[in-house]
Structures are given as C-alpha cells and as structure tokens.
C-alpha cells in the first residue's frame, strides 16, 4: 500500500442534515415490509401517496355522510315548525312547549347518534390503518 501525502488525503464533504422520513431510509435498504409486497396503509398515509390520500378521503367522506344525515334529520325536525305554528295562530302555549321542551330529547338523541357514528368511523379507520 503506497504511502499518501497528507495534501492528497481524501476529504469527506457533507452538507446540512436533511430531514428524511425513517421509513424512506428503511425501504431504500430493503428492510421495510413494503419492499416484500406487503403494504401498510399507515405508511401510505404518512408518505402522502395517492393510496394514502384515498384512505383519508374515505374517512372524510364517511364523516361527511354522517353529518349530512344529521343535518337532514334536523331540517326535517325543525324545518316544518314555522308552518305548523303559522297554521295554528292561537296556540302560543303549544309553541313554547314544543320549542322549550319537546325538541330537546330528539336533539340529544341525534347528537348521541352522531358522536357514536363518528367514533365508530374513526375506530374502523384506525383498525384499517393499523392492520388489526
């Protein structure tokens, strides 16, 4: 092995550290399950691929569907009330009873249904993403 002059030594040039995702490095080294044909939806979401975007969009769609169902039921429940009250101008006590007491039970039930539905949608999404 020939002796090198100190002026001819190799110099390692480095740049500023780059922020890379840990799974991108693992995949490039062949240690990631994705390289073997197995995919994880969580990886797709983290890397913001088209498939990951589709997963998130499906969650958003199901949440929007639940919200629109609640909105429709709310509209059908409260929407006709002005017409009912206009048809019965002498029933002032009925208006107060309906607005003050009768609407709260359906509203609470509707809110409970929506919260349970939203939590179930999120739980299903997490189960899909975590491969459980």
């Amino acid at each position: 092995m020939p002796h090198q002059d100190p002026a001819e030594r190799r110099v390692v040039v480095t740049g500023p550290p780059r922020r890379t995702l840990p799974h991108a490095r693992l995949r490039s080294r062949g240690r990631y399950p994705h390289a073997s044909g197995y995919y994880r939806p969580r990886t797709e979401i983290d890397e913001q691929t088209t498939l990951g975007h589709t997963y998130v969009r499906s969650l958003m769609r199901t949440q929007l569907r639940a919200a629109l169902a609640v909105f429709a039921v709310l509209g059908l429940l409260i929407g006709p009330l002005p017409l009912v009250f206009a048809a019965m101008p002498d029933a002032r006590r009925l208006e107060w009873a309906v607005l003050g007491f009768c609407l709260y039970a359906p509203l609470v039930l509707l809110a409970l249904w929506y919260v349970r539905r939203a939590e179930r949608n999120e739980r299903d999404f997490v189960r899909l993403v975590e491969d459980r």
Side-chain angles (χ1 to χ4, degrees), residues 20-29 47:
T20 60
L21 299 173
H23 37 46
R25 287 191 304 260
L26 289 174
R27 185 181 305 144
S28 67
R29 294 180 191 154
E47 292 181 0

Side-chain angles (χ1 to χ4, degrees), residues 11 13 19 25 27 42-43 45-46 60 64-66 74 82 93 96 98 105-106 111 116 123:
V11 178
V13 179
R19 290 183 164 212
R25 287 191 304 260
R27 185 181 305 144
R42 185 175 189 162
T43 305
I45 293 168
D46 288 343
M60 291 171 58
L64 179 64
R65 195 175 307 127
L74 192 62
R93 295 191 131 203
W96 282 105
V98 169
R116 287 185 181 175
R123 194 170 40 250

Side-chain angles (χ1 to χ4, degrees), residues 55-114:
Y55 281 125
V56 173
R57 191 130 167 93
S58 72
L59 173 65
M60 291 171 58
R61 228 178 296 126
T62 57
Q63 297 291 49
L64 179 64
R65 195 175 307 127
L68 290 176
V70 168
F71 185 70
V73 170
L74 192 62
L76 292 174
L77 182 67
I78 296 176
L81 286 180
L83 297 175
V84 171
F85 295 151
M88 299 185 301
D90 298 336
R92 290 279 177 202
R93 295 191 131 203
L94 178 66
E95 291 176 12
W96 282 105
V98 169
L99 291 176
F101 301 107
C102 297
L103 278 180
Y104 286 107
L107 289 178
V108 168
L109 291 175
L110 197 58
L112 286 174
W113 178 84
Y114 176 74

Side-chain angles (χ1 to χ4, degrees), residues 34-56:
H34 193 64
S36 65
Y38 175 78
Y39 79 96
R40 290 185 52 107
R42 185 175 189 162
T43 305
E44 300 292 337
I45 293 168
D46 288 343
E47 292 181 0
Q48 298 179 353
T49 62
T50 305
L51 183 58
H53 179 70
T54 304
Y55 281 125
V56 173

